[in-house]
Amino acid sequence: MSKRQLAMAMDLNKCIGCQTCTIACKTLWTRDEGMDYMWWNSVNTQPGLGTPRNWENMGGGFKDGVAQAGQLPTKADFGEAWQYNHEEVFYGGKGQNVHLQIQGETPNWGPNWDEDQGGGTYPNSYFFYLPRICNHCTNPACVAACPRKAIEKREEDGIVLINEDRCRGYRFCMEACPYKKIYFNHSKGVSQKCIFCYPRIEQGVANACARQCPGRVRFVGYRDDENGPIYKLVEKWKVAVPLHPEYGTDPNVFYVPPTGPLRFDENGNLDPTSPRIPEDYIRHLFGQPGIEALAIMLEEREKVRKGGKSEVLDILIAYKWSEMFGGFDRDPATIEWDNNGPINKA
Amino acid sequence: MKANYLAGVDTATLLDPKSNAWNQPKAETFKLMGTPLGMQPTELIRSSWAKKKIGQVESIKVQAAHNGETIAFRIEWATKAPSMTNGDNSIFPDGAAVALPADARAPVITMGAQGMPINAWYWRANDGGHGRQLSAEGIGTSETLDMEFVKTNGVYENGHWSVVIARALKIESKKPVAQLEVGQDAKFGVAIWDGKNQERGGIKAFTGGAWLDLSLEAGK
């Protein structure tokens, strides 16, 4: 266990599935060769098969304290990076006579392929978005699996990093990660994954996915900082809970479960007595703590509805973006650089 | 086994597994065994391979030759399903390696031991001939030393891999590498990875817990 642990909390009630986080991550970290199919940050419509396809049934994690080898997700499971006829459309001299088309085989899967499906039946159909990054677990199955000690959990902040100089591309980590958030780079022959934007963090700047989120969904900070948002959401108010805690890795990404809209009864009237998003589904994702978190959320909302104040709802509303990041709110434009990196460190 | 002295044969010729130069050195057949389950370095690997066969390749033919400067091992084995790539993530490229002691006391079964390194020369089917030189001081400790000194070439034909792994007999290096001498004896071992069987890392077939003998023929 590391001395301190950085964590992220995401409020699923606020995520609009715009994928700005996904693109923020993509443009910053996964543009190099062999990374075209990688989405270190992904956002999927739930219920759904997710990314990679059916990842929740691929195994991994811990059983009786022993790291388990699950399935190796294939490139097709993640969704191959499709190539388009950009050249022809923009520079082919064909004006409006051509349009963008995927080149090669017609794909049958991709990131958030089942975006517009969701669950339930009309009029009580439902969906919500689930953004995912590496969980930088307290008990990382990837670290336990690697025969080369190529994966490190940093002592100072608990960020889990793959050392590409030691990695030989054996992919035991991909088998072990129950969240299937590790990718294999076929050009470099190494495994790669979300790095929790550690070069930004080291300069006092929150993760790109968090900082660029238009919905102010993501909170960042140390778990043990009692004045920070993570401690308040996770420990104090217990409204943010880990995804699939039964996987046994003790994730450090937390979610405020979605309350969802009200349900209609058979007469078409709003029925507040049971939730539209089935409890079983929330329990499937977050276990009983997810149900308890929802109960706290509903209670706090009721309190505010009656004219009271709620610390936890004020945090989740995020009136000031700078208060979401536990001190990691430095303006990147204030960082001065020379060839060796930043010269005015955080 | 003997590493024949092939006077005047250049390294490029030695690196061609189909070259006539390889008609002369006698091929020896070695039975391989899977690496023992209990010696796999993580519990995940031990539990996930408990019911799977480690080491699909059961025997190899090995020849060895040198030209006074470079030594080459030509390793041949049968496989109906060669693996040249990492596929869709779920397979691995076939591989072969020659291990030599970098310290006379180094055990081969554990890939060396602390303070007693072994040196390995490594070929992968997808590495485009860029061999890799490693050292290890025990299971799970292998380190890449360089991608410069070891030359490799693999040809798959008629259901067989023929792979040549070569390196200068002596190299200038402060790292723990084997230094060989013409006219003297040496030790070696061989490991083969069957990529379609998801063999990689310590999951491999090898010549076993004892070093094999190699005598480097002196110049005539």
Side-chain angles (χ1 to χ4, degrees):
Chain A
M1 202 165 153
S2 51
K3 281 189 189 127
R4 296 196 83 185
Q5 180 66 57
L6 277 168
M8 189 179 284
M10 308 191 200
D11 184 355
L12 299 185
N13 295 286
K14 296 172 78 179
C15 180
I16 56 170
C18 66
Q19 306 283 0
T20 305
C21 49
T22 307
I23 298 302
C25 178
K26 185 80 197 162
T27 52
L28 191 54
W29 299 121
T30 61
R31 295 177 71 175
D32 287 347
E33 215 184 323
M35 300 175 108
D36 47 0
Y37 83 110
M38 294 186 193
W39 301 96
W40 290 356
N41 181 101
S42 51
V43 183
N44 280 89
T45 301
Q46 302 297 133
L49 291 178
T51 302
R53 175 172 45 200
N54 208 20
W55 65 272
E56 288 170 287
N57 292 311
M58 283 186 171
F62 287 89
K63 197 172 154 192
D64 302 326
V66 178
Q68 303 292 304
Q71 211 175 307
L72 273 170
T74 64
K75 283 168 81 178
D77 291 330
F78 285 109
E80 297 270 8
W82 312 320
Q83 302 301 317
Y84 291 87
N85 53 338
H86 290 114
E87 196 64 28
E88 185 188 21
V89 170
F90 295 117
Y91 309 111
K94 296 178 182 171
Q96 302 295 315
N97 298 321
V98 291
H99 56 278
L100 280 179
Q101 279 183 313
I102 292 170
Q103 304 299 289
E105 278 179 43
T106 306
N108 62 9
W109 193 253
N112 210 12
W113 185 264
D114 46 5
E115 174 175 17
D116 55 2
Q117 292 180 20
T121 48
Y122 180 84
N124 288 315
S125 37
Y126 66 93
F127 74 95
F128 58 91
Y129 298 107
L130 182 68
R132 299 201 303 124
I133 61 172
C134 165
N135 283 300
H136 298 276
C137 303
T138 298
N139 186 24
C142 55
V143 173
C146 180
R148 294 187 50 75
K149 298 189 172 63
I151 311 182
E152 178 202 5
K153 183 163 180 69
R154 300 209 304 188
E155 194 60 26
E156 64 271 31
D157 54 21
I159 293 176
V160 175
L161 295 176
I162 298 173
N163 178 342
E164 291 183 12
D165 293 330
R166 284 211 57 76
C167 176
R168 292 278 280 132
Y170 297 154
R171 282 160 269 167
F172 292 111
C173 56
M174 282 175 78
E175 292 183 335
C177 174
Y179 298 95
K180 301 301 170 203
K181 283 309 277 181
I182 302 177
Y183 293 79
F184 178 67
N185 183 318
H186 286 254
S187 296
K188 288 180 86 176
V190 296
S191 294
Q192 296 177 320
K193 66 166 197 72
C194 158
I195 56 174
F196 209 76
C197 283
Y198 78 87
R200 291 170 65 104
I201 290 286
E202 286 173 357
Q203 300 309 319
V205 182
N207 316 51
C209 58
R211 179 92 192 230
Q212 295 193 31
C213 174
R216 299 190 180 180
V217 167
R218 300 185 184 219
F219 299 82
V220 176
Y222 288 108
R223 284 189 67 172
D224 60 356
D225 176 2
E226 294 189 15
N227 293 308
I230 301 295
Y231 183 88
K232 285 182 178 164
L233 295 172
V234 175
E235 311 293 341
K236 183 177 178 188
W237 285 98
K238 299 188 186 336
V239 292
V241 293
L243 179 63
H244 287 301
E246 75 280 12
Y247 292 169
T249 61
D250 206 351
N252 286 301
V253 174
F254 299 88
Y255 297 93
V256 181
T259 50
L262 284 175
R263 211 176 62 81
F264 291 104
D265 67 16
E266 56 273 25
N267 302 316
N269 298 316
L270 291 173
D271 173 12
T273 60
S274 65
R276 188 186 295 200
I277 301 174
E279 275 197 355
D280 279 351
Y281 189 60
I282 297 294
R283 200 175 281 113
H284 161 75
L285 292 175
F286 304 109
Q288 188 59 22
I291 305 294
E292 286 157 19
L294 277 180
I296 297 165
M297 286 290 288
L298 293 176
E299 204 175 303
E300 289 298 304
R301 282 187 189 174
E302 194 53 33
K303 199 158 90 184
V304 173
R305 202 172 277 128
K306 286 177 177 157
K309 269 197 80 66
S310 164
E311 182 194 38
V312 66
L313 289 192
D314 280 349
I315 294 169
L316 290 172
I317 289 166
Y319 292 103
K320 287 187 184 159
W321 70 267
S322 55
E323 290 173 3
M324 299 177 68
F325 301 143
F328 292 93
D329 56 1
R330 184 180 184 187
D331 177 355
T334 64
I335 303 172
E336 288 168 33
W337 301 79
D338 68 9
N339 289 338
N340 298 317
I343 51 175
N344 55 342
K345 294 195 186 270
Chain B
M1 69 178 290
K2 183 170 144 189
N4 291 54
Y5 177 43
L6 303 181
V9 174
D10 61 14
T11 301
T13 305
L14 285 177
L15 273 168
D16 176 4
K18 296 173 76 180
S19 150
N20 290 335
W22 287 107
N23 293 343
Q24 193 186 331
K26 189 173 165 245
E28 285 202 32
T29 300
F30 296 99
K31 288 253 172 278
L32 302 187
M33 58 182 279
T35 46
L37 187 71
M39 291 175 61
Q40 302 303 327
T42 69
E43 217 169 345
L44 174 136
I45 300 174
R46 291 190 292 274
S47 64
S48 62
W49 281 83
K51 288 177 184 162
K52 287 194 275 186
K53 181 178 158 86
I54 297 174
Q56 283 291 321
V57 176
E58 291 177 348
S59 83
I60 50 173
K61 269 194 224 169
V62 182
Q63 294 166 279
H66 71 85
N67 58 13
E69 301 279 325
T70 295
I71 182 164
F73 294 85
R74 183 184 184 280
I75 307 161
E76 191 181 320
W77 69 96
T79 177
K80 288 202 177 90
S83 180
M84 318 286 189
T85 69
N86 287 290
D88 64 356
N89 290 348
S90 65
I91 59 166
F92 296 80
D94 290 338
V98 174
L100 303 102
D103 179 296
R105 301 161 301 164
V108 66
I109 183 86
T110 54
M111 291 185 65
Q114 205 174 2
M116 296 178 249
I118 65 153
N119 180 204
W121 307 347
Y122 193 95
W123 165 87
R124 257 187 198 175
N126 66 341
D127 65 7
H130 299 292
R132 182 182 289 262
Q133 182 159 237
L134 307 160
S135 76
E137 295 188 26
I139 284 167
T141 67
S142 64
E143 298 267 1
T144 296
L145 301 178
D146 60 77
M147 308 288 283
E148 176 190 348
F149 292 109
V150 175
K151 310 288 178 205
T152 62
N153 187 23
V155 173
Y156 182 79
E157 226 174 60
N158 304 323
H160 285 76
W161 270 118
S162 305
V163 172
V164 176
I165 299 175
R167 201 206 71 179
L169 293 161
K170 285 183 177 301
I171 58 170
E172 292 239 357
S173 175
K174 288 182 178 151
K175 292 170 177 165
V177 295
Q179 305 285 9
L180 303 174
E181 194 90 52
V182 167
Q184 293 202 346
D185 291 341
K187 306 275 186 198
F188 77 106
V190 178
I192 305 289
W193 289 262
D194 183 275
K196 285 260 162 64
N197 190 39
Q198 297 196 326
E199 292 180 14
R200 74 279 203 196
I203 303 289
K204 62 196 174 192
F206 76 134
T207 43
W211 291 107
L212 306 172
D213 291 321
L214 182 70
S215 71
L216 284 77
E217 187 181 13
K220 287 161 194 163

